Amino acid sequence: MKLLRLLSLLTLFFSLLFIFHTQATSISVGPLKLTYHPFDPLSKQEITLVQTIVLKKYPTSTHRVNFHYVGLDDPEKSTVLKWVSSSSRVQTSRNAFVIVMVNSEIHEILINLRSSNIVSDKVRRGNGFPTLTVDEQGEASLLPLKYGPFIESVKKRGLNLSEVVCSDFTVGWYGEVKSRRALRIECFMKEDTANIYVRPINGITMLADIHDMKIIQYHDKSMEPVPKSENTEYRASHMKPPFGPKLHSFASHQPEGPGFTIKGHTVSWANWNFHIGYDVRAGIIISTARIYDAEVHKYRHVLYRGYISELFVPYQDPSEEWYYKTFFDAGEFGFGQSMVSLEPLQDCPPHAQFFDVYYAGRDGTPQHLENAFCVFENYGAINWRHTETGIPNEEIREVRSDVSLVVRSVVTVGNYDNVMDWEFKTSGSIKPEISLSGMLEIKAVDVKHKDEMKQDMHGTLVSEHSVGVYHDHYYIYHLDFDIDGVDNSFVKTNLKTVKVTDNSSKRKSYWTTETQVVKTETDAKTKLGMSPSELALVNPNKKTSTGNDIGYRLIPNAAAHPLLIEDDYPQTRGAFTNYNIWVTPYNRTEKWAGGLYVDQSRGEDTLAIWTKMNRSIENKDIVLWYVVGIHHVPCQEDFPLMPLLSTGFELRPNNFFERNPVLKTLSPKHVLYGCGKP
């Protein structure tokens, strides 16, 4: 009996010990993982731990605390690469980088998530403010509805206040010596349509102090007619016949199941293996992308880290109501926290797999975003083909259909939806693509026909009383290549015309190539479209059997160059668009092309400033920065909601493989329905 009682007490003791241990670890890092990827995004439990640690030091009973950024502090590259290549993976240190405003001070806090300790806490001095929180934007947008002068302005226009909704806009910087955290507020009519952005209440300017949450400037200068709601509705449930072209139904089926496997955030598909991360500012991050080379029987490193570092959207109307509209969607609003839930079967096909993410709200509480991004296989393209008719009495036709893998997210900042794709191909190519949809920024005018426009309206008359204002979209990608190793070089292969002057040929000219290994950051700055050239990152320490440097080539889309003068205030802040291509030595702190603090920044901490150091980039660990630009001249087809406008580029193997890596890749089997047999 004594032995049984002793065993019972020991069982109870170890049970209580297990429960205590589980509760203790669940608040710090959540469910214990035997292995995890060093770039896994912060979990719900880790965000809660960050909140607990920060509020313990700065309790809300005596401090006003707002969380503006909570993200993974990038581990050292050597640690990550060792983890990826090791078969016995040991948990590495894991830190969170946090930006909080305590009262009116900006604190940069580094937290060790394993020990639950604050490693450092620095008060930030300097210009610019952190990324806006969703909560403070929403709170600021409600201010006009209780503001007496605005209510009077609405009555004066004969509008119904209950049908008014407002939105917030960043104010930029235009030479002010001192800045305060503030937002411009604009309002719209939702009466008879959900398409509020095409029905602005123009003539009113409002400035809200978002520290004190009150309107501090208000002007009502003019009364332009509010554009009509007719033919602006986009909700299918609110539309009436006749509808557009009839699209036939289709069936999508994978009898063998998906061709990819996912463990945590690591994806294995065909010959690719890579990690999908998430950041509240960057959104989707692709990391440690490797491709299997069947000839050498191993995975080879390609892309260490890839993401959108910033999106600059300057509008081209210099009037009092519009001049400040020069937005930095990642740094000011947060690309990650602006991601929206994807709609199954619409945003992604039936066989897609979805991922949820968490980010910290203003009070530090984890915010859950369901279906934040999806992974799916894309069918229907051609991998390679050839028809041979040159052999007598024989015709050969060989075609290989293609399957690619797509990682997709949608970022909605105000009126625009950005569909963001990363497409991986078995040939070794990576194809990032951007597709824009949503609504134009509309300026209300007292004009119904183009012939009535007596002055530059800075846009296109897309409907009665509605001008779609000219603007740009500049996406800058951070692409940290590690092609078969960290030491790479940037190579420009220029195409030049050669005249035949020695009568050695009946031709008078031909073109050839001239290769330049770029040595410094200054020499790497490139404006595309000025002269024909091939751009590649190579590993000069690795050769193919025929002696070529292995590498990857950038195949750009049509280049867009800024038309603002360089010392204009918005262009000073967005100086990273002055060139299409930049190359810098790897520096784990140089992540954001527009600077760490973009809201009301002054261009003091940008890619354009870093590269003035003119550092060496030859045979070094380097980062390629590529600007994808669109000059948007609106047209009537963009109204009231624009069809997808797409652009992108390709990162393509360039002497990376010994030969075509998919020559022996067979087409997938096709399963047909309705004919009784496959």
Side-chain angles (χ1 to χ4, degrees), residues 319-373:
S319 66
E320 180 64 25
E321 292 183 38
W322 280 79
Y323 76 88
Y324 59 87
K325 293 191 174 185
T326 54
F327 308 124
F328 293 80
D329 284 357
E332 292 176 339
F333 299 101
F335 240 42
Q337 70 178 5
S338 299
M339 286 169 57
V340 294
S341 294
L342 299 175
E343 185 69 24
L345 306 183
Q346 301 293 333
D347 286 316
C348 309
H351 50 275
Q353 183 163 331
F354 293 82
F355 289 75
D356 296 355
V357 298
Y358 289 91
Y359 64 92
R362 177 168 60 175
D363 64 355
T365 302
Q367 307 296 305
H368 179 216
L369 178 61
E370 188 178 13
N371 295 351
F373 61 92

Side-chain angles (χ1 to χ4, degrees), residues 311 335 409-413 416-420 434-436 475:
L311 167 56
F335 240 42
S409 63
V410 175
V411 177
T412 302
V413 183
Y416 266 113
D417 291 59
N418 304 267
V419 182
M420 316 300 301
I434 302 156
S435 299
L436 290 170
Y475 303 79

Side-chain angles (χ1 to χ4, degrees), residues 233-335:
E233 182 59 72
Y234 57 85
R235 291 173 292 180
S237 59
H238 287 63
M239 292 179 177
K240 298 178 181 179
F243 294 102
K246 178 176 172 56
L247 304 178
H248 284 230
S249 302
F250 76 100
S252 178
H253 178 54
Q254 290 183 300
E256 298 175 296
F260 56 88
T261 58
I262 299 176
K263 293 183 178 180
H265 282 256
T266 298
V267 179
S268 295
W269 170 81
N271 48 354
W272 280 103
N273 179 276
F274 59 91
H275 181 272
I276 309 173
Y278 165 83
D279 180 80
V280 69
R281 178 164 172 174
I284 292 296
I285 300 177
I286 301 297
S287 300
T288 58
R290 303 178 298 159
I291 189 166
Y292 188 77
D293 187 337
E295 296 220 2
V296 297
H297 308 292
K298 69 176 183 179
Y299 276 100
R300 300 172 63 190
H301 291 273
V302 177
L303 184 68
Y304 178 72
R305 203 94 155 117
Y307 57 90
I308 288 183
S309 178
E310 191 54 81
L311 167 56
F312 179 36
V313 188
Y315 281 80
Q316 303 304 316
D317 187 336
S319 66
E320 180 64 25
E321 292 183 38
W322 280 79
Y323 76 88
Y324 59 87
K325 293 191 174 185
T326 54
F327 308 124
F328 293 80
D329 284 357
E332 292 176 339
F333 299 101
F335 240 42

Side-chain angles (χ1 to χ4, degrees), residues 140-249:
S141 296
L142 296 175
L143 292 175
L145 304 181
K146 297 180 181 179
Y147 186 64
F150 177 75
I151 294 172
E152 288 301 315
S153 294
V154 170
K155 290 180 180 178
K156 182 172 65 175
R157 287 165 168 76
L159 304 175
N160 185 349
L161 185 65
S162 65
E163 297 293 338
V164 173
V165 292
C166 302
S167 186
D168 62 287
F169 299 80
T170 49
V171 301
W173 176 72
Y174 295 90
E176 300 88 357
V177 176
K178 188 175 181 180
S179 301
R180 64 195 300 175
R181 295 196 71 230
L183 290 170
R184 292 270 192 162
I185 310 295
E186 295 184 16
C187 299
F188 310 85
M189 294 301 298
K190 65 181 179 66
E191 190 174 28
D192 300 323
T193 181
N195 199 340
I196 60 171
Y197 290 104
V198 302
R199 302 200 68 211
I201 305 172
N202 273 26
I204 300 173
T205 58
M206 284 179 281
L207 185 69
D209 183 310
I210 56 174
H211 183 267
D212 296 330
M213 275 302 165
K214 65 179 182 180
I215 293 174
I216 55 175
Q217 289 182 20
Y218 185 85
H219 301 285
D220 187 352
K221 295 183 177 180
S222 61
M223 288 199 302
E224 304 291 347
V226 176
K228 296 179 181 179
S229 62
E230 283 80 4
N231 299 315
T232 64
E233 182 59 72
Y234 57 85
R235 291 173 292 180
S237 59
H238 287 63
M239 292 179 177
K240 298 178 181 179
F243 294 102
K246 178 176 172 56
L247 304 178
H248 284 230
S249 302

Side-chain angles (χ1 to χ4, degrees), residues 124 127-129 281 307-312 327-332 474-478 570-577 582 589-610 625 627:
R124 193 256 177 179
N127 297 311
F129 298 106
R281 178 164 172 174
Y307 57 90
I308 288 183
S309 178
E310 191 54 81
L311 167 56
F312 179 36
F327 308 124
F328 293 80
D329 284 357
E332 292 176 339
Y474 295 108
Y475 303 79
I476 183 165
Y477 281 80
H478 171 112
Q571 193 59 34
T572 298
R573 300 174 66 214
F576 53 83
T577 63
W582 309 71
T589 67
E590 294 178 359
K591 298 176 62 174
W592 313 112
L596 182 56
Y597 296 93
V598 180
D599 183 25
Q600 300 180 58
S601 63
R602 304 184 182 185
E604 300 163 322
D605 176 30
T606 69
L607 178 60
I609 298 298
W610 309 334
W625 306 76
V627 177

